[in-house]
Amino acid sequence: MSTAATPKNASNPLDIFWFADDNTTEYYIYMHFADVEKLQRNHSRQFNITMNRKNFYGPFIPDYLHTGTIYNTRALKGSESQIYDFSMFMVGNSTVPPILNAYEVYAVKNMSESETNQEDIAAITNIKSTYNIEKNWQGDPCTPQIFIWEGLNCSYPENDSPRIISLTLSSSGLTGDIPPSISNLKMIKLCKDLSNNNLEGPIPDFLSLLVNLSVINLENNNLTGSVPLGLMEKMNNGSLTLSFCENPDLNGIVSCKEKEKKKKHSFRIPAVVNCSRYHLSGRLNEKSDVYSFGIVLLEIVTSRPILSKTQEIVHISQWVSSMVLKGDIYSIVDPRLGKKFNVNSVWKVVEIAMACASPNAIKRPTMNDETNSIAMLRPTLR
C-alpha cells in the first residue's frame, strides 16, 4: 500500500476492467485506497467510482497513509457485454487525480464436495483459537482435498460429510492443557502426535472415550498427574498405543532415555512393549510377553514395521488381518523370499502370531502353548 496508480492524464479517469467467463459467474471486487501523498491545504483528492457507466460508489476521499476498502456486498453477475469496467474520476473541488493502490477480484466457485462435519469444524476451530495455531488453517478443514489443513487427515464417506480422523501438532509451540474440544472429534483415530510441545496439566480422561482412537503421542511435554485408568485399560488390551516418555512430572514415568542401554557390538531383539506401560507397573506380565511375541513373529514373517503409513497409520496386526481375510499368504510374507517357503508352515506361524497379538488379552494363549507349537514346525525355507 506504499504505492498507488494514477491516470497518465490527470483529467482522465482511472480504469480497471476484466472479461467475465459467462453470464452466470458471480464476482466480488475489493478496491484498496490509501493516499501516499501529503496534500497541501489548497489541494484535495475526491472521486466517484462507476461500474459499466453506472454509479458504484462515491464521492470517496482516501485518507493519508490509512487504507480504506470499497467492495460490493452483493455478487456481480449478468453483465450483458460480459465485461466489468470500473472507472474512477475526479468530482467536486478535487485538484488531483484519483488513485488506486490495489484491487482483488474473486469469482464464486460452487464446490462439489460436501462441507466437513459441523461438530468437527467447531472442535478444530476451538483448538486453533486455543493454541493460536499459525498454519494454513483457513476455510474448510477437509475440503477441497487439495487444501486440507496441515496436520489433519480426513475421511470422505459417500453421501456424508468429511470427518477429521487424525491430528498432528508436533513441535507446534502448544502450551497449556489438552483442550476438551478434542473429545468432540468423535471419529478421530490417530491423535498421533502432540509431542515436543509445552503441554501442561493432567492427561484428560476424555481421551479414553474416543472409541476410534488407536494412537497418541504425548512425549516431551510437561504433563502431570497419573495416566487415566481408561487409557491404561486400552493399552493393556492392545487397542491403544500411548507414548508419553519425557514428561518428568507424570507419576511413575522416568526418562525413556534412562532405560535405553546402548552396548557396542550387542545383538538386540526388537521390543514392542510400550516403554511407558513398563514404567507404570514396574513389571511385565505373561500376557504382555505373549503379545510382544506375536508382534515380533509378524515383523519377522512380513519384514514390515509395527506401524506403517500409506494414506493413514496402519498397525502390522491390522494389515496382516486384512490379508488373512483375503487368503493371500504371498502378500503377507517378506517379498524377498519370493515363493520359496513352505506355505503350510508359514500359515501356522501367522495363525500363532495373530492369536498372540489379539487385542483381547484373555484370548491370548500362554507362552508354553505357543513355544510348543513353534517347536513342532518344520523349517519354512526350501
Side-chain angles (χ1 to χ4, degrees), residues 145-301:
Q145 292 189 42
I146 59 172
F147 296 124
I148 187 173
W149 288 9
E150 181 184 350
L152 300 187
N153 282 327
C154 300
S155 64
Y156 300 88
E158 292 185 13
N159 304 317
D160 203 356
S161 299
R163 302 300 300 265
I164 297 172
I165 60 172
S166 77
L167 174 64
T168 300
L169 291 173
S170 177
S171 303
S172 297
L174 309 186
T175 60
D177 296 340
I178 297 175
S181 48
I182 286 183
S183 65
N184 294 325
L185 297 173
K186 303 296 186 183
M187 299 302 294
I188 197 164
K189 299 178 181 178
L190 308 171
C191 194
K192 61 180 180 180
D193 208 343
L194 298 177
S195 64
N196 301 309
N197 288 294
N198 292 302
L199 294 173
E200 301 172 343
I203 298 177
D205 188 55
F206 62 69
L207 292 176
S208 64
L209 302 178
L210 295 170
V211 296
N212 297 299
L213 186 60
S214 60
V215 177
I216 183 167
N217 185 354
L218 299 173
E219 294 182 359
N220 291 301
N221 281 287
N222 298 309
L223 299 170
T224 59
S226 303
V227 178
L229 180 59
L231 292 179
M232 288 303 304
E233 290 176 348
K234 287 191 170 187
M235 289 174 61
N236 289 331
N237 66 29
S239 63
L240 175 67
T241 300
L242 176 58
S243 302
F244 38 78
C245 297
E246 307 307 326
N247 282 275
D249 295 323
L250 199 59
N251 291 347
I253 307 301
V254 299
S255 171
C256 291
K257 294 179 182 178
E258 295 177 12
K259 302 300 293 183
E260 295 176 358
K261 296 182 179 179
K262 298 181 180 180
K263 295 183 179 180
K264 197 172 183 179
H265 307 301
S266 62
F267 177 78
R268 294 189 290 182
I269 299 294
V272 298
V273 178
N274 189 295
C275 64
S276 307
R277 188 184 309 173
Y278 172 75
H279 293 324
L280 284 172
S281 63
R283 60 185 176 81
L284 296 175
N285 59 39
E286 182 183 8
K287 291 298 184 180
S288 60
D289 285 343
V290 171
Y291 178 82
S292 299
F293 177 71
I295 297 300
V296 170
L297 278 183
L298 292 179
E299 288 185 284
I300 293 172
V301 170

Side-chain angles (χ1 to χ4, degrees), residues 87-146:
S87 293
M88 286 145 274
F89 52 90
M90 292 191 299
V91 295
N93 298 323
S94 182
T95 59
V96 291
I99 63 170
L100 176 64
N101 303 72
Y103 73 96
E104 305 167 86
V105 177
Y106 297 91
V108 177
K109 299 293 185 182
N110 293 319
M111 308 303 297
S112 59
E113 299 173 277
S114 300
E115 293 182 350
T116 301
N117 177 273
Q118 291 301 309
E119 289 187 0
D120 285 6
I121 290 177
I124 200 67
T125 301
N126 183 276
I127 293 170
K128 175 186 176 181
S129 61
T130 298
Y131 293 130
N132 296 317
I133 294 173
E134 297 181 358
K135 294 180 182 285
N136 67 331
W137 284 23
Q138 301 292 331
D140 190 287
C142 297
T143 61
Q145 292 189 42
I146 59 172

Side-chain angles (χ1 to χ4, degrees), residues 363-381:
K363 294 182 179 180
R364 296 173 195 161
T366 65
M367 287 299 293
N368 287 336
D369 293 337
E370 298 315 324
T371 51
N372 290 336
S373 298
I374 291 291
M376 294 172 60
L377 293 176
R378 299 191 305 272
T380 58
L381 293 176

Side-chain angles (χ1 to χ4, degrees), residues 72-89:
N72 56 303
T73 57
R74 293 184 180 181
L76 304 176
K77 66 177 181 178
S79 173
E80 294 180 0
S81 61
Q82 291 192 351
I83 186 173
Y84 291 90
D85 185 5
F86 286 80
S87 293
M88 286 145 274
F89 52 90

